[in-house]
Amino acid sequence: MTTYYEGYSKVLVSVDCIIFGFDEGELKVLIGKRKMDPGRDQWSLYGGFVADNESIDDAANRVLYQLTGIRNIYMRQVGAFGNVDRDPGERVISIAYYALINVNDYGSSLQEEHGLQWMPINGLPQMYSDHNTMVAKALKKMQGKISHEPISFNLLPKLFTLTQLQRLYEAVCGEKVDKRNFRKRIKDMDFIEKTELIDKTGSKRGASLYRFNKKAYNEDPNFKL
């Protein structure tokens, strides 16, 4: 190690991961009880400290993989949180990230191992430090993207109904949309393909299943939901 910065105070850098999932018509966040002091047994996001040999993105990807066992997760940075008194243990600056996963891809064994639960976004408990603020800012960023980027498909199974897609959009935006207008916009999008498959879990008649065509989306520069 060099001695270039001797005399300057050192701070710890961590990452905190806000993992969103969509289940039973609700947008949910994966949280658990802290297993260390300070804040032991308080509800918390899942995170970790940045190692000397990794970037902050690498640290976030490592934490996400440890938590979910899934690689190549959709992940975006929320921002830096560095209030002087945000962590009573040490001076810690945290970089928050949000990630989107399909809850069906997440194994229950890892969830149990880490003691985590899916909590509805509208029913989150008070969490450790500024974690509630992190979630609120992450949700706002999602709301700004969902109409212009196909991020919603990261939360859905590969085959989905239009009702599922609409409910997801409503859950993220926090408002109801007109069914007829929503479906009209969807049908104008070549990258949302109707398949020949039918989902009969909701009724005997069933509902058509759709899928996202990434190649067609990349050829459509004017996407707006």
Side-chain angles (χ1 to χ4, degrees), residues 158-161 192-200 205-211:
K158 291 182 180 179
L159 295 174
F160 53 86
T161 67
I192 300 179
E193 297 180 336
K194 185 177 181 180
T195 72
E196 297 179 354
L197 301 173
I198 300 294
D199 175 20
K200 294 188 176 181
R205 181 181 178 185
S208 296
L209 287 166
Y210 291 74
R211 64 188 169 203

Side-chain angles (χ1 to χ4, degrees), residues 125-186:
Q126 183 60 45
M127 292 188 286
Y128 178 74
S129 186
D130 47 12
H131 288 189
N132 289 81
T133 301
M134 290 180 179
V135 174
K137 289 191 174 182
L139 179 61
K140 190 171 182 179
K141 284 185 174 290
M142 280 181 61
Q143 290 170 341
K145 281 182 176 290
I146 197 168
S147 293
H148 303 278
E149 295 182 24
I151 64 172
S152 56
F153 303 109
N154 295 284
L155 294 161
L156 292 169
K158 291 182 180 179
L159 295 174
F160 53 86
T161 67
L162 292 186
T163 297
Q164 286 176 306
L165 182 60
Q166 180 180 334
R167 286 178 178 171
L168 171 57
Y169 185 83
E170 292 173 337
V172 172
C173 295
E175 59 184 17
K176 294 289 185 180
V177 298
D178 181 78
K179 179 178 178 180
R180 190 182 336 181
N181 290 336
F182 184 83
R183 297 198 173 198
K184 182 179 179 181
R185 294 200 299 272
I186 294 298

Side-chain angles (χ1 to χ4, degrees), residues 20-27 101 103 155-156 164 167-168 171:
F20 289 110
F22 182 66
D23 187 39
E24 298 178 347
E26 292 185 293
L27 185 66
I101 68 172
V103 296
L155 294 161
L156 292 169
Q164 286 176 306
R167 286 178 178 171
L168 171 57

Side-chain angles (χ1 to χ4, degrees), residues 11-27:
V11 299
L12 296 171
V13 179
S14 69
V15 293
D16 282 298
C17 296
I18 304 146
I19 302 179
F20 289 110
F22 182 66
D23 187 39
E24 298 178 347
E26 292 185 293
L27 185 66

Side-chain angles (χ1 to χ4, degrees), residues 8-166:
Y8 290 93
S9 61
K10 303 298 190 295
V11 299
L12 296 171
V13 179
S14 69
V15 293
D16 282 298
C17 296
I18 304 146
I19 302 179
F20 289 110
F22 182 66
D23 187 39
E24 298 178 347
E26 292 185 293
L27 185 66
K28 297 183 178 181
V29 182
L30 198 60
I31 65 174
K33 296 287 186 75
R34 276 176 68 89
K35 299 177 181 179
M36 59 184 291
D37 293 318
R40 186 182 296 272
D41 293 330
Q42 290 184 29
W43 287 106
S44 172
L45 297 172
Y46 193 89
F49 290 104
V50 180
D52 291 338
N53 63 345
E54 63 183 358
S55 69
I56 55 175
D57 284 356
D58 288 342
N61 276 308
R62 169 177 55 80
V63 168
L64 284 170
Y65 180 71
Q66 289 173 347
L67 182 62
T68 67
I70 305 171
R71 296 194 185 277
N72 300 318
I73 294 176
Y74 178 92
M75 177 187 79
R76 293 294 184 271
Q77 190 179 120
V78 177
F81 295 78
N83 286 346
V84 174
D85 59 351
R86 66 173 300 275
D87 193 307
E90 292 283 352
R91 179 78 168 94
V92 180
I93 294 174
S94 181
I95 314 300
Y97 289 80
Y98 76 87
L100 310 178
I101 68 172
N102 175 8
V103 296
N104 294 323
D105 292 337
Y106 180 40
S108 58
S109 59
L110 278 173
Q111 184 175 342
E112 292 172 4
E113 177 184 338
H114 294 289
L116 300 172
Q117 296 183 35
W118 286 108
M119 291 281 192
I121 187 80
N122 294 323
L124 288 177
Q126 183 60 45
M127 292 188 286
Y128 178 74
S129 186
D130 47 12
H131 288 189
N132 289 81
T133 301
M134 290 180 179
V135 174
K137 289 191 174 182
L139 179 61
K140 190 171 182 179
K141 284 185 174 290
M142 280 181 61
Q143 290 170 341
K145 281 182 176 290
I146 197 168
S147 293
H148 303 278
E149 295 182 24
I151 64 172
S152 56
F153 303 109
N154 295 284
L155 294 161
L156 292 169
K158 291 182 180 179
L159 295 174
F160 53 86
T161 67
L162 292 186
T163 297
Q164 286 176 306
L165 182 60
Q166 180 180 334

